[in-house]
PDB file of all heavy atoms in Angstrom:
ATOM      1  N   THR A 289      26.418 -13.429  25.737  1.00 88.00           N
ATOM      2  CA  THR A 289      26.542 -13.938  24.372  1.00 88.00           C
ATOM      3  C   THR A 289      25.714 -15.192  24.117  1.00 88.00           C
ATOM      4  O   THR A 289      25.567 -15.581  22.958  1.00 88.00           O
ATOM      5  CB  THR A 289      28.014 -14.254  24.059  1.00 88.00           C
ATOM      6  OG1 THR A 289      28.498 -15.224  25.009  1.00 88.00           O
ATOM      7  CG2 THR A 289      28.865 -12.996  24.141  1.00 88.00           C
ATOM      8  N   ALA A 290      25.181 -15.820  25.140  1.00 91.00           N
ATOM      9  CA  ALA A 290      24.467 -17.078  24.965  1.00 91.00           C
ATOM     10  C   ALA A 290      23.096 -16.847  24.328  1.00 91.00           C
ATOM     11  O   ALA A 290      22.333 -15.979  24.757  1.00 91.00           O
ATOM     12  CB  ALA A 290      24.299 -17.784  26.310  1.00 91.00           C
ATOM     13  N   VAL A 291      22.770 -17.636  23.310  1.00 93.00           N
ATOM     14  CA  VAL A 291      21.473 -17.573  22.646  1.00 93.00           C
ATOM     15  C   VAL A 291      20.433 -18.265  23.528  1.00 93.00           C
ATOM     16  O   VAL A 291      20.682 -19.357  24.045  1.00 93.00           O
ATOM     17  CB  VAL A 291      21.550 -18.239  21.261  1.00 93.00           C
ATOM     18  CG1 VAL A 291      20.174 -18.261  20.592  1.00 93.00           C
ATOM     19  CG2 VAL A 291      22.542 -17.507  20.374  1.00 93.00           C
ATOM     20  N   VAL A 292      19.274 -17.645  23.704  1.00 94.00           N
ATOM     21  CA  VAL A 292      18.221 -18.226  24.532  1.00 94.00           C
ATOM     22  C   VAL A 292      17.053 -18.730  23.705  1.00 94.00           C
ATOM     23  O   VAL A 292      16.194 -19.445  24.227  1.00 94.00           O
ATOM     24  CB  VAL A 292      17.717 -17.205  25.570  1.00 94.00           C
ATOM     25  CG1 VAL A 292      18.837 -16.791  26.512  1.00 94.00           C
ATOM     26  CG2 VAL A 292      17.110 -15.985  24.886  1.00 94.00           C
ATOM     27  N   SER A 293      17.002 -18.374  22.416  1.00 94.00           N
ATOM     28  CA  SER A 293      15.926 -18.844  21.554  1.00 94.00           C
ATOM     29  C   SER A 293      16.388 -18.768  20.106  1.00 94.00           C
ATOM     30  O   SER A 293      17.020 -17.774  19.715  1.00 94.00           O
ATOM     31  CB  SER A 293      14.661 -18.010  21.731  1.00 94.00           C
ATOM     32  OG  SER A 293      13.675 -18.383  20.771  1.00 94.00           O
ATOM     33  N   PRO A 294      16.110 -19.789  19.298  1.00 94.00           N
ATOM     34  CA  PRO A 294      16.504 -19.718  17.886  1.00 94.00           C
ATOM     35  C   PRO A 294      15.663 -18.742  17.078  1.00 94.00           C
ATOM     36  O   PRO A 294      16.009 -18.435  15.940  1.00 94.00           O
ATOM     37  CB  PRO A 294      16.287 -21.161  17.404  1.00 94.00           C
ATOM     38  CG  PRO A 294      15.232 -21.706  18.298  1.00 94.00           C
ATOM     39  CD  PRO A 294      15.462 -21.064  19.631  1.00 94.00           C
ATOM     40  N   TYR A 295      14.584 -18.249  17.661  1.00 93.00           N
ATOM     41  CA  TYR A 295      13.697 -17.343  16.936  1.00 93.00           C
ATOM     42  C   TYR A 295      13.990 -15.874  17.224  1.00 93.00           C
ATOM     43  O   TYR A 295      13.429 -14.995  16.566  1.00 93.00           O
ATOM     44  CB  TYR A 295      12.240 -17.653  17.280  1.00 93.00           C
ATOM     45  CG  TYR A 295      11.883 -19.092  17.036  1.00 93.00           C
ATOM     46  CD1 TYR A 295      11.699 -19.979  18.090  1.00 93.00           C
ATOM     47  CD2 TYR A 295      11.758 -19.584  15.736  1.00 93.00           C
ATOM     48  CE1 TYR A 295      11.378 -21.311  17.864  1.00 93.00           C
ATOM     49  CE2 TYR A 295      11.451 -20.920  15.504  1.00 93.00           C
ATOM     50  CZ  TYR A 295      11.264 -21.769  16.567  1.00 93.00           C
ATOM     51  OH  TYR A 295      10.965 -23.100  16.338  1.00 93.00           O
ATOM     52  N   ASP A 296      14.834 -15.581  18.181  1.00 93.00           N
ATOM     53  CA  ASP A 296      15.271 -14.220  18.468  1.00 93.00           C
ATOM     54  C   ASP A 296      16.701 -14.288  18.987  1.00 93.00           C
ATOM     55  O   ASP A 296      16.935 -14.513  20.174  1.00 93.00           O
ATOM     56  CB  ASP A 296      14.347 -13.557  19.494  1.00 93.00           C
ATOM     57  CG  ASP A 296      14.617 -12.058  19.621  1.00 93.00           C
ATOM     58  OD1 ASP A 296      15.659 -11.599  19.119  1.00 93.00           O
ATOM     59  OD2 ASP A 296      13.781 -11.351  20.212  1.00 93.00           O
ATOM     60  N   LEU A 297      17.648 -14.077  18.089  1.00 92.00           N
ATOM     61  CA  LEU A 297      19.055 -14.221  18.452  1.00 92.00           C
ATOM     62  C   LEU A 297      19.595 -13.030  19.228  1.00 92.00           C
ATOM     63  O   LEU A 297      20.732 -13.069  19.701  1.00 92.00           O
ATOM     64  CB  LEU A 297      19.894 -14.427  17.186  1.00 92.00           C
ATOM     65  CG  LEU A 297      19.553 -15.661  16.350  1.00 92.00           C
ATOM     66  CD1 LEU A 297      20.492 -15.771  15.158  1.00 92.00           C
ATOM     67  CD2 LEU A 297      19.603 -16.915  17.186  1.00 92.00           C
ATOM     68  N   THR A 298      18.822 -11.960  19.356  1.00 92.00           N
ATOM     69  CA  THR A 298      19.281 -10.790  20.102  1.00 92.00           C
ATOM     70  C   THR A 298      18.849 -10.817  21.564  1.00 92.00           C
ATOM     71  O   THR A 298      19.367 -10.040  22.365  1.00 92.00           O
ATOM     72  CB  THR A 298      18.747  -9.506  19.453  1.00 92.00           C
ATOM     73  OG1 THR A 298      17.313  -9.533  19.440  1.00 92.00           O
ATOM     74  CG2 THR A 298      19.249  -9.384  18.017  1.00 92.00           C
ATOM     75  N   ALA A 299      17.899 -11.667  21.926  1.00 94.00           N
ATOM     76  CA  ALA A 299      17.446 -11.757  23.312  1.00 94.00           C
ATOM     77  C   ALA A 299      18.508 -12.437  24.165  1.00 94.00           C
ATOM     78  O   ALA A 299      19.198 -13.357  23.712  1.00 94.00           O
ATOM     79  CB  ALA A 299      16.127 -12.516  23.393  1.00 94.00           C
ATOM     80  N   ARG A 300      18.635 -11.986  25.407  1.00 93.00           N
ATOM     81  CA  ARG A 300      19.620 -12.532  26.330  1.00 93.00           C
ATOM     82  C   ARG A 300      18.989 -12.722  27.708  1.00 93.00           C
ATOM     83  O   ARG A 300      18.000 -12.091  28.066  1.00 93.00           O
ATOM     84  CB  ARG A 300      20.836 -11.599  26.446  1.00 93.00           C
ATOM     85  CG  ARG A 300      21.648 -11.467  25.166  1.00 93.00           C
ATOM     86  CD  ARG A 300      22.348 -12.767  24.834  1.00 93.00           C
ATOM     87  NE  ARG A 300      23.175 -12.658  23.649  1.00 93.00           N
ATOM     88  CZ  ARG A 300      22.782 -12.964  22.417  1.00 93.00           C
ATOM     89  NH1 ARG A 300      21.539 -13.405  22.227  1.00 93.00           N
ATOM     90  NH2 ARG A 300      23.596 -12.837  21.392  1.00 93.00           N
ATOM     91  N   TYR A 301      19.640 -13.606  28.491  1.00 93.00           N
ATOM     92  CA  TYR A 301      19.199 -13.876  29.862  1.00 93.00           C
ATOM     93  C   TYR A 301      19.900 -12.907  30.808  1.00 93.00           C
ATOM     94  O   TYR A 301      21.088 -12.585  30.637  1.00 93.00           O
ATOM     95  CB  TYR A 301      19.527 -15.308  30.251  1.00 93.00           C
ATOM     96  CG  TYR A 301      19.328 -15.609  31.721  1.00 93.00           C
ATOM     97  CD1 TYR A 301      18.069 -15.919  32.215  1.00 93.00           C
ATOM     98  CD2 TYR A 301      20.398 -15.559  32.611  1.00 93.00           C
ATOM     99  CE1 TYR A 301      17.874 -16.183  33.557  1.00 93.00           C
ATOM    100  CE2 TYR A 301      20.213 -15.832  33.952  1.00 93.00           C
ATOM    101  CZ  TYR A 301      18.959 -16.138  34.420  1.00 93.00           C
ATOM    102  OH  TYR A 301      18.773 -16.399  35.753  1.00 93.00           O
ATOM    103  N   ALA A 302      19.169 -12.427  31.811  1.00 92.00           N
ATOM    104  CA  ALA A 302      19.755 -11.518  32.796  1.00 92.00           C
ATOM    105  C   ALA A 302      19.070 -11.718  34.136  1.00 92.00           C
ATOM    106  O   ALA A 302      17.946 -12.225  34.223  1.00 92.00           O
ATOM    107  CB  ALA A 302      19.633 -10.067  32.337  1.00 92.00           C
ATOM    108  N   ARG A 303      19.771 -11.290  35.184  1.00 89.00           N
ATOM    109  CA  ARG A 303      19.239 -11.357  36.537  1.00 89.00           C
ATOM    110  C   ARG A 303      19.647 -10.098  37.285  1.00 89.00           C
ATOM    111  O   ARG A 303      20.823  -9.711  37.291  1.00 89.00           O
ATOM    112  CB  ARG A 303      19.785 -12.572  37.279  1.00 89.00           C
ATOM    113  CG  ARG A 303      19.267 -12.707  38.713  1.00 89.00           C
ATOM    114  CD  ARG A 303      19.903 -13.863  39.421  1.00 89.00           C
ATOM    115  NE  ARG A 303      21.332 -13.665  39.597  1.00 89.00           N
ATOM    116  CZ  ARG A 303      22.160 -14.557  40.123  1.00 89.00           C
ATOM    117  NH1 ARG A 303      21.682 -15.731  40.504  1.00 89.00           N
ATOM    118  NH2 ARG A 303      23.451 -14.307  40.239  1.00 89.00           N
ATOM    119  N   ARG A 304      18.655  -9.451  37.884  1.00 85.00           N
ATOM    120  CA  ARG A 304      18.909  -8.277  38.709  1.00 85.00           C
ATOM    121  C   ARG A 304      18.109  -8.409  39.990  1.00 85.00           C
ATOM    122  O   ARG A 304      16.881  -8.335  39.974  1.00 85.00           O
ATOM    123  CB  ARG A 304      18.525  -6.990  37.983  1.00 85.00           C
ATOM    124  CG  ARG A 304      19.417  -6.678  36.805  1.00 85.00           C
ATOM    125  CD  ARG A 304      19.289  -5.247  36.369  1.00 85.00           C
ATOM    126  NE  ARG A 304      20.227  -4.910  35.316  1.00 85.00           N
ATOM    127  CZ  ARG A 304      20.408  -3.700  34.832  1.00 85.00           C
ATOM    128  NH1 ARG A 304      19.696  -2.702  35.328  1.00 85.00           N
ATOM    129  NH2 ARG A 304      21.274  -3.475  33.879  1.00 85.00           N
ATOM    130  N   GLY A 305      18.833  -8.622  41.078  1.00 80.00           N
ATOM    131  CA  GLY A 305      18.149  -8.863  42.335  1.00 80.00           C
ATOM    132  C   GLY A 305      17.350 -10.149  42.261  1.00 80.00           C
ATOM    133  O   GLY A 305      17.861 -11.216  41.944  1.00 80.00           O
ATOM    134  N   GLY A 306      16.074 -10.068  42.521  1.00 84.00           N
ATOM    135  CA  GLY A 306      15.207 -11.246  42.438  1.00 84.00           C
ATOM    136  C   GLY A 306      14.500 -11.385  41.112  1.00 84.00           C
ATOM    137  O   GLY A 306      13.681 -12.297  40.951  1.00 84.00           O
ATOM    138  N   THR A 307      14.802 -10.517  40.136  1.00 89.00           N
ATOM    139  CA  THR A 307      14.142 -10.553  38.833  1.00 89.00           C
ATOM    140  C   THR A 307      15.025 -11.260  37.830  1.00 89.00           C
ATOM    141  O   THR A 307      16.198 -10.906  37.659  1.00 89.00           O
ATOM    142  CB  THR A 307      13.828  -9.131  38.335  1.00 89.00           C
ATOM    143  OG1 THR A 307      13.049  -8.445  39.316  1.00 89.00           O
ATOM    144  CG2 THR A 307      13.077  -9.173  37.020  1.00 89.00           C
ATOM    145  N   ARG A 308      14.470 -12.263  37.176  1.00 92.00           N
ATOM    146  CA  ARG A 308      15.172 -12.983  36.121  1.00 92.00           C
ATOM    147  C   ARG A 308      14.302 -12.983  34.877  1.00 92.00           C
ATOM    148  O   ARG A 308      13.101 -13.241  34.966  1.00 92.00           O
ATOM    149  CB  ARG A 308      15.478 -14.421  36.553  1.00 92.00           C
ATOM    150  CG  ARG A 308      16.293 -14.515  37.839  1.00 92.00           C
ATOM    151  CD  ARG A 308      16.638 -15.946  38.168  1.00 92.00           C
ATOM    152  NE  ARG A 308      17.382 -16.045  39.419  1.00 92.00           N
ATOM    153  CZ  ARG A 308      17.941 -17.156  39.873  1.00 92.00           C
ATOM    154  NH1 ARG A 308      17.812 -18.286  39.174  1.00 92.00           N
ATOM    155  NH2 ARG A 308      18.610 -17.168  41.009  1.00 92.00           N
ATOM    156  N   TRP A 309      14.898 -12.684  33.745  1.00 93.00           N
ATOM    157  CA  TRP A 309      14.118 -12.629  32.512  1.00 93.00           C
ATOM    158  C   TRP A 309      15.030 -12.851  31.306  1.00 93.00           C
ATOM    159  O   TRP A 309      16.243 -12.782  31.398  1.00 93.00           O
ATOM    160  CB  TRP A 309      13.390 -11.287  32.410  1.00 93.00           C
ATOM    161  CG  TRP A 309      14.234 -10.134  31.961  1.00 93.00           C
ATOM    162  CD1 TRP A 309      14.309  -9.589  30.720  1.00 93.00           C
ATOM    163  CD2 TRP A 309      15.139  -9.364  32.776  1.00 93.00           C
ATOM    164  NE1 TRP A 309      15.182  -8.534  30.688  1.00 93.00           N
ATOM    165  CE2 TRP A 309      15.703  -8.375  31.937  1.00 93.00           C
ATOM    166  CE3 TRP A 309      15.521  -9.415  34.109  1.00 93.00           C
ATOM    167  CZ2 TRP A 309      16.630  -7.452  32.410  1.00 93.00           C
ATOM    168  CZ3 TRP A 309      16.449  -8.495  34.569  1.00 93.00           C
ATOM    169  CH2 TRP A 309      16.988  -7.536  33.718  1.00 93.00           C
TER     170      TRP A 309
END
Side-chain angles (χ1 to χ4, degrees):
T289 59
V291 176
V292 298
S293 173
Y295 305 107
D296 191 347
L297 300 182
T298 59
R300 294 292 182 266
Y301 170 83
R303 180 184 65 184
R304 292 197 175 186
T307 304
R308 303 184 182 188
W309 79 100

